[in-house]
Amino acid sequence: FCSTHNLIKNPILQNALVIDKNERAGNVLNSQLNAFKIKSNYINSFKDIELKNYDAVFADFDSLTPSHLNKILINQKVEELRKF
């Protein structure tokens, strides 16, 4: 077992948000991000959140309404979030 398998050189993501109605799926992704030393928060529904506090938003599209998605996209343009 390699002790450095979860080290990322020059990480571009430091804070992430996971949005998923499926608690198990959301927690799994959240745990994987944490394993790679990326701070992340999991929520199961879109709320009034400060998107500017996150480098990336991982969202299950079934968990978002069109207005939620629009808010994320508008924030991305304003805050110049990275798009992958």
Side-chain angles (χ1 to χ4, degrees), residues 2 4 16-17 21-22 26 35 42-43 53-54 58-59 64 66 68 75-76:
C2 176
T4 60
L17 176 65
K21 286 189 288 189
N22 182 329
Y42 163 71
I43 58 174
N53 295 333
Y54 300 99
F58 295 88
L64 301 175
H68 295 150
N75 193 73
Q76 179 183 13

Side-chain angles (χ1 to χ4, degrees), residues 17-49:
L17 176 65
V18 177
I19 305 171
D20 198 325
K21 286 189 288 189
N22 182 329
E23 186 174 348
R24 180 174 286 171
N27 283 324
V28 167
L29 180 54
N30 192 52
S31 295
Q32 290 297 310
L33 291 168
N34 288 322
F36 284 93
K37 308 288 190 263
I38 298 170
K39 296 177 190 172
S40 66
N41 295 315
Y42 163 71
I43 58 174
N44 63 358
S45 64
F46 192 91
K47 302 172 185 171
D48 290 329
I49 51 177

